[in-house]
Every structure is written in structure tokens, then in C-alpha cells.
Amino acid sequence: MASSATVELSRWQFAITAIFHMTFPALTVGLSILLAVVYTAYLRTRNPLYLQMFRFWRKIFAVGFGLGVVAGTVMTFEFGLNWGSYAHAVGPILGVTIGMEVITAFFLEAGFIGIMLYGEGRVRPRTMAFASWMVAFGTLLSTTWILSANSWMQDPAGYAEVAGQFRARDWWQVLFNPAFSYRFPHMLLAVLISAAWFVGGIAAWYLVRQRSLAFARRTLSLALGVLAVLMPLQLYAGDETAVFMGQHQPAKLEAFEGNWKTDNNGYNLVVIPDPGRGRDNLRIEIPHLGAVIGKDLTGQAHVPGLLQTPPDQRPNMWSAFYGFRAMYFTALAMFAMAFAGLVLRLRGRLFTARRFHRLLVWMTPAGLVAITGGWITAETGRQPWVVYGLIRTSDAVSHLSTAEAALSLAGFVTVYAVLVAVWIRYIVRTVKAGPEAVDAPSPARFLPVRPTLPEAAHG
Amino acid sequence: MAEYASYALILFALGAYVVLDGYDLGIGILGLFDRSDHRRKEYTELVATAWDANESWIILAAVILWAALPGVYATVLPGVYLPLVVMLLAFVLRGLGLEMQSSAPDYRPGWGRLFGFSSVVVTLCQGLVVGTVLSGLPQHGGVFDGGALRWLTPYSVLCALGLTALYLLAGAAWLQAKTQGSARRRAARLGRPLLALAVAACLVLGFGLEVADPQHFRFDQPLRAVLFGLLVAIAAACGALAWYGFGREPDARPFAAVLGAQVAGLLALVTATAPVVVPPGLSVHAAASPVGSQVFLLIGVGCCMPVVLAYNIYAWWVFRGKYRPPAEAALAVSAEPRQPVDARTDLMTNQIAPTENGLMTLARRVGFTVLGLGVVAVAQDVFGGQGEWIAPVTITLFGAGSLTAWLVGDRRAAAAGEFDIDQAAER
């Protein structure tokens, strides 16, 4: 059996690679839909503004997508590299789910992305639009399968255990397990929202700088419109998910609420937990709010504490509590900003409110912060189980030496740090360079422009 | 039977990977030895249109392996931990170099070198992995239990070099098919030496396997021996065709021949080893997952595969023929200018908004935000759990309201010309 150091190192490695990978889909799913929408709008109106938007966001999408693909390749192998025993036990279930993701979604994206990125002038515009929609559809399918697989690990259903290996008894229950129906909408909204903030924040930057105004206004209007609709939905979906998880994984709820004894009716804002002694060294709370959120209007009910869970089944309160707070507080800020945007729009001042635009620039990474916090809560809150209630994380690792695990972790940290730096620099440069200029005076109505296909495309 | 079908599927994905990503890895390495920036830019652009799809095949091979033969997956991956991790890191860097190169308007030597060197590393690591698996991995109960340096054997090192030669050959063949002018001439000239190198590598590796292999192939079954001989003969014929085709029209012939040789070679290897997947003792039967999983996977993947192949072929068709630089039309509009709108115009009244008292404004904004949060709190049914219906109904109303406000506001802004491109205001 592998040493506990190997387990810890492998966990860190998986966490880092997973968070890193997550950053890219969190943007590219939403961006792919945006690209498909604006290209379709271009087809319908022939307004070059939409083509300008398409080409600009495509630049950012292309690199993000490419990095997402390679980071995703890493994930596929990691299940077996560091978690061989886990891979052997759940291969008949999760291997199949992820296999279906690859064949239905991954190939769809990969097959059409070439056309979407390099096809202009080679294929008809309608084919470009079709390819864009196929890429968007592929990213959505991918999200679906991955959430199904992860939700099965959170709340396994429809399985039978035979000689230490899990096999499906009922595929319907495996794929559409109870947790999936809560977590999928939550995550789907999250990725759309994070892309909308990203896009909206960058558009706001152009407005602050008074550059590329038509482009910036169109993008900002779209982003804030989407956010005004999705943010309230997301708060609802998130609340439902938290309630569901509280029922199915009580320890996770106890950890992310930050209480040890079940004697607190307040809502904790800051805690400094002391897991060794089973108490909080510091606790800043809003009295009664915890009980109210737990549906007791009198404010007397107590929020369950982590001491209710046996010590060998307790997750880490630090990560679960602060992961949850990062997600939740960011979500509140996002909601407030989306709502302010709605009000400004109704008052016809969306494109002139300078202070609002400056605030929006700061919101650019908000969605990514919330998604990262949420996943930290979901994944560390499930510990010490890798498949909840069935396989412990410590029993899941491969037969590896500590040196191997340490070396690979160091490699991933180094390469990913470089990668993040390059990626951010690329985005900053692309944004500073701005969208491609449009050569013409300002138009009122647009004459349809038939793009000419080069002769070579005909044969 | 299901496990053989799954094994065939894995081999198909693996074969597709070797054929497709083989050429783009080869092109990556060849780019390192080219002095012309113009050609190198062309090479990366050639790879950029296809590498996503090419690399997807190794992911497919890995997950089907996981789903269908978890015993093999759990043995091989930890068994070749370090080379695989290095390969993955090199994949990441390769993607980075390629994407950054492709998004830059001209050739960037730094990204180009990163792309080239990581292609070398990926290739070497894949060779090490293949060599290690062929020379055997110790396992117990479907889980690897050997040492950390198991992958470092003379045979695996030879395999790494051999695979490099093979990918270089595929890269040169692809370049002859897809480029014109000096790039094509270069590729055609490189083809034959590389082919000779690849054939030498295959011979060394083929005979070396007799020594390295712990399972000791036996060709005393007539069917196996005949099949093996036939496949080797096909591979040899394809090699001869490639030799003839380099530097001659039609330009696609060398790659087609190399493809044939690769497929025949892979099949010959399988013929020699089946049903053992990981020597010495891990066979298809022992490593397989339950029949239910296999059938589900086979039906799912089987139904999708024709569609996947169809659009992969379509994507290939779009980029068929010789490489041409992207042909994007310039952004242009043709229409008369319109009257610019003052940015401060109130869109409801079409008047310039009067300057307001700052404190009042702030108070109103805070008020609105608090009101908004209150509405959501009610909508979420935070205050009491009074009824299951409250949340969905209010959320629907809220969403519909936001949507209406968005659409109306958008239309109004468009009518006011907010979205018109005003070149004077552009940078």
C-alpha cells in the first residue's frame, strides 16, 4: 500500500490539475455559445459588427480551448496514473461515462473547431455557423457527461459491487443519479455566468477607455442581459444543491457551515477552525441568520456541527468553509452587479455609467473565482471518500513511490504556473490590441455583402 | 466476445492516433531542422487545423481502455508513470507553443522551438511507454506492483528512437502531400533517408522483441503464423511504394503508403501477441470489465463512431489539397453615415440627462440593490419554507422580467444607434 505522503501528493496534484483544467471550460463553454450566437446574428443581418465580435472573441476562445484540450488530456490519464486502484474499481462505471463523453462531445468539438477557427473563406458562411453551433453543442454535452460522472462519485446510485469492482445495475440510475439533477443545472449556469462576466468585464474596459464603442456596447448589453436572467436562477439552483447535499452528505454541510457543536443559530462569516480540539478558535457570525436560512423563522434552530460526524469521516473544514464562502459571497456580488445593470438599462444609462463600468472590469474573473470555490467545497467536502461512502481516498492510490508523486507534482506546478502566466498575458495583449477595425463610415442599414469564395474551394 | 470487440475498438483508436498525431508530431520535429521561418510558420498552421482532432484519438484510446479493460489501465498507467507524466506535460507545452504560434501574425521562434522540442519529448515518451509495455509489467489483481524505474530498459530506449524515426517519416510524407514549392521539395528529399531509418528501426525492434519479450511468442499456430507473415509482407510492400512515391506525383502517395505500413505493422504486432495485452500474463479476458459495461460502451461508441468519422472526414475534406493561408475577407460596411448620438442622451426621453445630486443617486442605487436582494431572498424562499411553489414561481417571474427588460432595452439602444460602428470614435 502506498504511503500517506503519496496520497497527499497525489491529492494535491489532482486538485491543481483539475482546478487548472476547470478554468478553461468555465470560459469556453459560454464563449462557444456566444460565438455561435454572434455568427448567426451576422448571417441574418450581415452587420459587420457581429463578424468583428466573432473574430475578436474567437481569438480568446481558440487559445483557451486549446489549453483546455491539453489540460483535459492530462485529466483523462490521471485517473489511472495516480489512482490506479480507484480506476480498477470504478472503470466499468466511470470509464464508460467518460468514454461516452469523449466519443460524443470531445470529437464533436475537435472535429468542428478546425472549421470554425480556420474555415472562413474556405466554407460557406452557413457552414461556419453550423460548425460554431456544433462546437457549442459539444461543450454542453461534455459538461453533461462530466457532471454525471462526478455526481455519481458524490452520490452513487444504480450499482452493484462484485469482488471490489463496481458494475452498473441500472445505467439510467448511474447516469442520471439523484445528485446529477441538482449539480448539473448548477454547474451549467455557473459556466455560462462566468463566461458572461469575463466577456462583460472586458467590454466594460473598452467603455472605460472609450475604445471600440459599438463592439463594447453590443457585448456588454449581451453579457449583462444574460446575467440578469441567469443570476437569480443560479442563486436558486445553488440553494437547492446545498440543501440536497446537506441531506445526502451531512458532513459536507457541517464543514462548510463552519460549526463544530450543534449550538449555533447564527450564520458564520469568518471562522478559524481547530480540527484537533474540535472547536473554532474564532467565529464571526450574523446571529439568527443560520436558523432563518435553515427555514426556521423564529431564528432558534441550530445549524448542525461537525462533531456529529465520527472523526475518521470528517472533511477538512478550512477548505470546505472558505471554498463555500468564496463562491457564495462572489455570487452575491455578482447578483448585485447584474441587478444594478438591469436598473441602469431600464433607466437608459447602461453605456454611460462610468463607475459601474470600472466596477465591472473588476468582475471579469468573478465567475472563475466562484466556480473554483464551489468545486473546492464539493470535492474536499466529500473527503475522506473518493466515491462517497464506498471507496476511501487513501485506498484509491496507485502503487507509486513518494519520489514519483513528488516529481510529477513539481512538474505540473511548474508547467501550469508558466501556462497561466502566458495565458493571462495573451488575453491582456489581445484585449489591448482590440478588435479588428472596420473600414467604413458609420452605417445606418447594411447592404448584404456576399462573401466571395476563392476558386480553389470549388475543386 | 465483447472483450475482443472492445480490444478491437481500442486498437482502432490507437491506430488512428498513431497515423494522425504521428504525422503532426513528425512535422513538429522536422520544423526544428528547418531554417526558413516562412516554412516553419506554414508547418504550424498546417498542424493547427487538425491537432485537436488528432490528439482526441489518444484520449479515446485511454478511456475505452479504462472502461473496457480496467485491469490493463490500472497496470500500465502507474507502471509507466514518469514517462507518461512527462508526455502529458509535453502535450501541454506543445499545445501552448502551437496555439501561441498560430495566434501570432508572423513566425515566433520561441514558440516554434517550444512546439518542436515538446513534440520530440512526446514522441520519445510514447516510445518508452510502448517499449515498456512490450517488455512486460508486473501486476497483481489488475493493479501494477512494480518499481518506479521499470520503464527504463534497453528495449524501451530503442523503441523511443524507432518511434521517432517512424513519426518523422510520416511527417515528411504528410508535408509532401500538403505543401508546395520549397517545403514540398524538402520533404520529398528527406523522405527516402527517413524511410531507410524507419525500416532499420523496425528490423532492430522486431528482432529485439525476441530477446526483450517475457512471454515468448510462439508461431506454431498456423493461422497466427500465416497472418503475421501476410501483414509483414503488406507492410514491406507499402514501404516499397513509399520509397517509389517520394518526390513523385501524386503527392499524396507516400503518406497513403506510410499509413498502410503503420496499420499493417500494428496489426502484425497484435497478431503476434493476442490475447495477451500486457506481458507476461495480463490477457484480454483477465483485464476485462463486466459484460454489461462492455456492451453499453460498444453500443454507445459503435453508434457514434460513424458520425464521428463522417465529420472528421468532412473536416479533412474542407482542408484538403495543398495548404493555403487563411482566406478571411476584410471587415467592411457600405452605407451612409448617420448622425452621432450624444452618449449622455436619455433614451427614454431623447434628452440630455440633467446632472443629479450625487447623494440622492447613491441612496437610490443602494435602495434598488437592497430591493433586488430582498426580492431574491423571497424568491429563494429563504424566509420560512412556506411553500414549495414560491421559489420556482417567483424565479420564473424574475427571469421573465429580466429577459423582457433586456430585450426592450437592447432594441431601444439599437434604435438610438448605440451599436453602430462609428469609425471616428474607433481608435
Side-chain angles (χ1 to χ4, degrees):
Chain A
M1 195 35 56
S3 69
S4 64
T6 308
V7 178
E8 279 305 302
L9 290 168
S10 297
R11 278 191 62 197
W12 273 107
Q13 181 175 317
F14 199 88
I16 288 169
T17 48
I19 288 174
F20 177 83
H21 171 58
M22 192 59 241
T23 313
F24 298 106
L27 294 178
T28 50
V29 174
L31 276 178
S32 66
I33 296 176
L34 173 78
L35 287 174
V37 168
V38 294
Y39 199 84
T40 310
Y42 169 68
L43 266 192
R44 289 169 61 97
T45 63
R46 295 291 179 185
N47 182 343
L49 175 63
Y50 291 115
L51 192 58
Q52 187 190 28
M53 285 170 77
F54 179 75
R55 287 189 183 164
F56 177 78
W57 292 116
R58 189 176 62 178
K59 276 188 224 161
I60 292 188
F61 172 81
V63 173
F65 186 86
L67 297 181
V69 168
V70 286
T73 314
V74 171
M75 302 299 301
T76 319
F77 281 92
E78 251 188 333
F79 294 121
L81 281 169
N82 289 67
W83 308 99
S85 305
Y86 154 87
H88 186 248
V90 301
I93 288 183
L94 293 184
V96 173
T97 316
I98 295 178
M100 291 304 292
E101 187 240 344
V102 173
I103 192 80
T104 57
F106 218 103
F107 272 99
L108 196 62
E109 299 165 33
F112 283 104
I113 189 111
I115 298 175
M116 178 180 162
L117 297 183
Y118 304 97
E120 255 189 287
R122 286 195 175 92
V123 296
R124 276 177 306 179
R126 216 178 306 161
T127 315
M128 280 288 291
F130 180 72
S132 308
W133 280 110
M134 283 299 115
V135 171
F137 181 57
T139 61
L140 288 178
L141 263 182
S142 188
T143 315
T144 314
W145 287 108
I146 291 300
L147 259 289
S148 168
N150 183 271
S151 296
W152 188 84
M153 287 162 65
Q154 300 281 353
D155 191 20
Y159 65 91
E161 188 180 349
V162 180
Q165 209 175 28
F166 296 91
R167 51 185 65 184
R169 215 166 18 77
D170 180 346
W171 277 108
W172 185 263
Q173 280 186 36
V174 167
L175 296 178
F176 302 98
N177 52 72
F180 173 74
S181 54
Y182 290 91
R183 301 176 74 247
F184 172 62
H186 190 41
M187 185 59 190
L188 182 62
L189 288 168
V191 289
L192 298 180
I193 285 169
S194 64
W197 283 116
F198 181 76
V199 166
I202 290 174
W205 186 82
Y206 285 119
L207 285 179
V208 170
R209 291 295 173 98
Q210 289 290 299
R211 282 177 51 186
S212 304
L213 287 177
F215 168 87
R217 287 179 190 144
R218 197 77 206 80
T219 309
L220 183 73
S221 171
L222 202 62
L224 280 176
V226 168
L227 287 168
V229 177
L230 295 190
M231 276 316 297
L233 282 178
Q234 178 67 320
L235 291 191
Y236 174 63
D239 183 56
E240 293 284 301
T241 310
V243 169
F244 175 85
M245 274 304 149
Q247 288 159 358
H248 287 248
Q249 293 183 11
K252 185 185 279 181
L253 178 98
E254 292 156 9
F256 74 60
E257 290 297 9
N259 298 302
W260 291 95
K261 287 183 194 157
T262 308
D263 63 351
N264 186 7
N265 62 2
Y267 187 78
N268 294 331
L269 296 177
V270 177
V271 295
I272 297 184
D274 184 348
R277 282 188 288 174
R279 65 188 186 86
D280 286 329
N281 287 337
L282 171 75
R283 197 167 77 190
I284 300 173
E285 63 184 53
I286 301 176
H288 301 295
L289 187 61
V292 172
I293 289 175
K295 314 256 156 107
D296 174 26
L297 275 191
T298 59
Q300 300 307 314
H302 295 146
V303 182
L306 197 53
L307 290 178
Q308 289 183 357
T309 304
D312 69 334
Q313 293 179 22
R314 283 179 201 159
N316 182 339
M317 186 184 280
W318 280 101
S319 57
F321 181 85
Y322 284 104
F324 189 82
R325 292 303 178 277
M327 171 182 73
Y328 188 57
F329 294 151
T330 319
L332 290 184
M334 289 192 277
F335 178 78
M337 290 294 283
F339 191 79
L342 190 66
V343 173
L344 285 171
R345 189 197 294 275
L346 287 176
R347 303 191 62 243
R349 297 186 36 203
L350 189 57
F351 306 123
T352 50
R354 306 298 295 275
R355 255 175 302 180
F356 180 68
H357 296 157
R358 280 201 197 96
L359 273 177
L360 271 181
V361 174
W362 288 102
M363 296 297 283
T364 309
L368 294 178
V369 172
I371 285 184
T372 307
W375 275 104
I376 288 176
T377 312
E379 297 300 289
T380 65
R382 186 190 57 206
Q383 301 300 329
W385 305 100
V386 62
V387 178
Y388 193 72
L390 298 178
I391 309 177
R392 279 178 176 273
T393 311
S394 53
D395 298 332
V397 286
S398 299
H399 181 87
L400 293 175
S401 66
T402 311
E404 278 175 291
L407 260 177
S408 63
L409 176 61
F412 277 112
V413 170
T414 318
V415 168
Y416 280 9
V418 172
L419 205 56
V420 167
V422 172
W423 189 57
I424 291 175
R425 199 187 61 154
Y426 172 76
I427 290 178
V428 169
R429 283 191 174 180
T430 310
V431 169
K432 279 192 177 155
E436 199 181 338
V438 179
D439 330 315
S442 173
R445 288 287 169 266
F446 307 98
L447 304 174
V449 184
R450 271 195 76 82
T452 46
L453 286 174
E455 309 74 37
H458 296 296
Chain B
M1 268 332 278
E3 62 263 31
Y4 277 104
S6 304
Y7 187 43
L9 206 56
I10 295 166
L11 287 174
F12 178 75
L14 207 59
Y17 176 76
V18 170
V19 166
L20 293 171
D21 216 30
Y23 82 74
D24 70 41
L25 285 163
I27 292 175
I29 307 173
L30 284 174
L32 282 176
F33 301 105
D34 203 319
R35 289 218 197 86
S36 151
D37 286 355
H38 174 74
R39 280 201 298 265
R40 288 200 274 199
K41 178 74 181 170
E42 193 174 329
Y43 296 163
T44 36
E45 287 302 303
L46 202 54
V47 174
T49 55
W51 74 277
D52 274 343
N54 294 351
E55 208 177 289
S56 297
W57 289 101
I58 200 176
I59 303 178
L60 183 68
V63 287
I64 300 182
L65 188 66
W66 182 18
L69 306 174
V72 173
Y73 187 78
T75 306
V76 170
L77 267 62
V80 290
Y81 188 80
L82 287 178
L84 259 187
V85 166
V86 174
M87 180 194 85
L88 292 172
L89 290 172
F91 262 148
V92 173
L93 292 174
R94 185 167 180 266
L96 181 75
L98 189 61
E99 287 296 332
M100 296 305 290
Q101 179 67 265
S102 172
S103 61
D106 46 356
Y107 183 75
R108 298 284 157 85
W111 294 128
R113 247 171 260 139
L114 182 67
F115 172 62
F117 281 118
S118 44
S119 300
V120 175
V121 175
V122 166
T123 309
L124 290 177
C125 288
Q126 284 177 359
L128 285 175
V129 169
V130 173
T132 312
V133 173
L134 286 176
S135 44
L137 286 170
Q139 57 93 24
H140 178 76
V143 177
F144 172 73
D145 63 354
L149 293 179
R150 180 76 210 178
W151 49 273
L152 194 61
T153 64
Y155 188 75
S156 65
V157 174
L158 280 178
C159 229
L161 297 175
L163 198 67
T164 314
L166 191 64
Y167 283 179
L168 279 171
L169 173 66
W174 187 254
L175 284 181
Q176 182 180 338
K178 299 294 284 186
T179 58
Q180 289 166 318
S182 67
R184 178 194 169 273
R185 278 197 301 279
R186 232 181 97 82
R189 212 170 45 237
L190 278 171
R192 286 187 185 159
L194 285 173
L195 181 60
L197 203 64
V199 169
C202 286
L203 289 176
V204 169
L205 290 173
F207 288 108
L209 197 54
E210 283 289 312
V211 186
D213 161 50
Q215 96 196 57
H216 303 297
F217 307 129
R218 297 189 26 214
F219 289 104
D220 46 6
Q221 294 154 298
L223 180 66
R224 191 188 292 260
V226 168
L227 216 53
F228 183 79
L230 199 64
L231 287 164
V232 170
I234 292 174
C238 287
L241 189 62
W243 182 275
Y244 175 77
F246 271 114
R248 279 200 180 87
E249 298 277 344
D251 281 345
R253 184 155 50 196
F255 187 75
V258 169
L259 189 156
Q262 282 173 329
V263 171
L266 184 68
L267 286 178
L269 186 63
V270 174
T271 316
T273 53
V276 174
V277 186
V278 182
L282 198 57
S283 70
V284 172
H285 314 286
S289 63
V291 176
S293 293
Q294 309 245 3
V295 169
F296 186 88
L297 187 77
L298 285 171
I299 293 175
V301 174
C303 290
C304 294
M305 193 56 90
V307 185
V308 166
L309 289 177
Y311 58 66
N312 268 300
I313 290 170
Y314 174 70
W316 171 79
W317 180 249
V318 166
F319 297 105
R320 72 194 174 278
K322 299 289 185 183
Y323 169 77
R324 286 179 290 119
E328 291 184 0
L331 286 175
V333 288
S334 46
E336 74 278 16
R338 72 185 284 141
Q339 214 53 27
V341 181
D342 190 303
R344 285 168 301 149
T345 306
D346 187 321
L347 295 172
M348 279 199 239
T349 57
N350 273 332
Q351 284 168 352
I352 306 277
T355 334
E356 295 184 54
N357 183 343
L359 207 62
M360 277 302 291
T361 316
L362 185 69
R364 201 174 51 220
R365 284 177 192 170
V366 170
F368 269 125
T369 310
V370 169
L371 180 70
L373 285 174
V375 170
V376 171
V378 172
Q380 269 202 55
D381 202 13
V382 164
F383 302 112
Q386 306 300 334
E388 283 294 311
W389 58 272
I390 294 180
V393 168
T394 47
I395 287 294
T396 310
L397 288 176
F398 202 99
S402 302
L403 188 65
T404 317
W406 168 23
L407 296 179
V408 170
D410 220 46
R411 176 155 296 190
R412 210 194 281 150
E418 299 271 18
F419 303 143
D420 288 354
I421 296 172
D422 179 6
Q423 206 179 23
E426 308 274 322
R427 207 165 42 119

